[in-house]
Amino acid sequence: MKNNKENNLKVDGFKAIYFPLFLKKKIQKSIIKTINDKAKSIDKKYLEKKNIKKISKYINSMSQKNFLKIFGHVSYRYLEVKIANEINQWVKNNMKKKLETNRLSLHYSCVFDRKVNKRLKEKQFCIYFRCVRPKSSKDVGELHRDIDFWRLIKKREIPKAPINFKEIFRIWIPISGCSKENSLRFFKKSHLDQNIKTKYYKKNGRVKPILEKKNIKSYKKSYQPINNFKNEAILFSDRVVHYAPINKNINDLRLSVECSVVTN
């Protein structure tokens, strides 16, 4: 992978990074297990599915009510503890040079998430998957910056981590149904823009940020930096403007995983 200006984290606010295929396979297996377990909880006649295509067919036929019941809140989409620990260790071993620090980690589960999902543990790492149905505008959000979500968190409820932290970066990992035109997209250098202002709106019962369009008119082109979807992910600043397009697949779900990397 070329380390050129387009992939420069400091300059552009995002870059493609190597992410091992063996970890992606473990993540996909974990997601399939989680979806099967949740489907069984709402449908006693549900027959376990062993691959994403069959799961896609089942979820596409699901009512909106049941979809939200299973996937509506992020707390129900956390990865299993074992795989979360593996990813955290991989981050600690491989992101030091890219983030220019020796002290980094994923953060622990959010206080609000633990209130919604009582099964989450206080020191369980916060890493979760997204499940986006084909052609569904209900499953994607607006243009945003992740820092604006953090500003909604009450001071006493800010997630803890194994280290004290000052900066936050994000990693987005494509798992299934992702392509150059069907994945998270970014606006170069928007993380450096001091004039961007944020408003907030409610969706699925949650307050979420939305950027004032007059502040982002100058950003004409969005970018997707991944070239190899088998073994790449995206590392990006929590201040960069980005969005997820509607899933362009005809039948297949778009599955991805996200986490925050905090640094000292």
Side-chain angles (χ1 to χ4, degrees):
M1 184 175 65
K2 294 180 180 179
N3 185 19
N4 55 27
K5 186 177 178 182
E6 183 170 311
N7 286 327
N8 190 304
L9 181 63
K10 283 187 176 180
V11 173
D12 295 331
F14 58 91
K15 68 180 293 182
I17 59 171
Y18 168 76
F19 191 84
L21 184 58
F22 81 90
L23 263 184
K24 277 196 176 185
K25 287 181 177 180
K26 285 187 177 183
I27 290 170
Q28 181 166 304
K29 187 176 179 181
S30 176
I31 291 173
I32 289 173
K33 181 180 182 302
T34 298
I35 292 174
N36 277 321
D37 288 346
K38 291 187 179 298
K40 288 175 189 175
S41 71
I42 63 167
D43 183 357
K44 293 181 179 179
K45 295 180 180 179
Y46 176 81
L47 298 176
E48 191 169 294
K49 311 293 187 288
K50 297 191 176 181
N51 59 59
I52 297 297
K53 283 217 174 275
K54 289 182 179 179
I55 281 177
S56 292
K57 186 176 180 180
Y58 175 76
I59 290 176
N60 289 339
S61 67
M62 187 181 286
S63 69
Q64 177 68 2
K65 181 180 178 181
N66 281 341
F67 182 83
L68 290 178
K69 191 173 182 179
I70 293 179
F71 302 111
H73 196 275
V74 66
S75 64
Y76 295 118
R77 293 182 270 114
Y78 272 50
L79 297 188
E80 296 171 296
V81 171
K82 185 178 178 181
I83 186 66
N85 289 344
E86 281 191 61
I87 294 167
N88 183 62
Q89 191 59 52
W90 181 87
V91 165
K92 290 170 69 176
N93 292 343
N94 293 275
M95 292 294 104
K96 290 177 181 177
K97 188 174 180 180
K98 289 178 176 61
L99 296 176
E100 300 178 355
T101 181
N102 288 320
R103 291 179 58 76
L104 72 171
S105 175
L106 304 189
H107 65 71
Y108 294 134
S109 61
C110 302
V111 175
F112 186 77
D113 291 346
R114 295 200 301 274
K115 288 179 180 178
V116 175
N117 185 352
K118 306 296 184 183
R119 294 185 177 184
L120 294 180
K121 295 178 171 51
E122 186 175 350
K123 290 192 175 182
Q124 178 174 345
F125 289 115
C126 179
I127 177 165
Y128 53 88
F129 68 91
R130 289 190 183 275
C131 179
V132 182
R133 293 166 293 182
K135 314 297 182 184
S136 175
S137 60
K138 296 176 181 178
D139 299 350
V140 296
E142 303 284 347
L143 282 172
H144 68 279
R145 303 176 303 177
D146 288 340
I147 190 173
D148 295 319
F149 282 97
W150 283 81
R151 288 170 176 161
L152 286 168
I153 303 173
K154 296 175 183 177
K155 190 173 181 180
R156 66 178 181 275
E157 294 187 348
I158 291 174
K160 295 181 180 179
I163 61 170
N164 294 322
F165 60 91
K166 297 176 183 176
E167 286 193 88
I168 305 165
F169 297 88
R170 297 281 287 174
I171 295 179
W172 182 85
I173 308 164
I175 300 300
S176 180
C178 302
S179 66
K180 199 75 176 172
E181 298 302 321
N182 197 39
S183 295
L184 211 60
R185 303 191 68 82
F186 300 83
F187 291 90
K188 282 186 179 181
K189 299 180 174 60
S190 58
H191 64 305
L192 303 174
D193 194 334
Q194 301 295 317
N195 297 315
I196 293 175
K197 293 183 180 179
T198 305
K199 290 183 176 180
Y200 293 90
Y201 73 107
K202 267 194 173 183
K203 185 173 184 178
N204 296 332
R206 296 288 306 275
V207 177
K208 297 186 177 185
I210 183 171
L211 302 180
E212 292 189 11
K213 290 185 179 179
K214 64 180 180 181
N215 296 127
I216 53 176
K217 282 183 179 178
S218 60
Y219 299 105
K220 303 293 184 185
K221 186 178 179 182
S222 61
Y223 294 84
Q224 198 340 298
I226 292 178
N227 291 313
N228 186 342
F229 281 84
K230 285 187 177 180
N231 62 4
E232 287 184 351
I234 305 171
L235 175 65
F236 62 99
S237 164
D238 70 333
R239 296 174 182 270
V240 74
V241 177
H242 60 285
Y243 71 99
I246 290 174
N247 180 0
K248 296 176 173 64
N249 295 326
I250 296 173
N251 297 309
D252 294 340
L253 297 172
R254 183 173 72 214
L255 295 172
S256 60
V257 163
E258 295 179 32
C259 60
S260 292
V261 180
V262 297
T263 67
N264 193 319

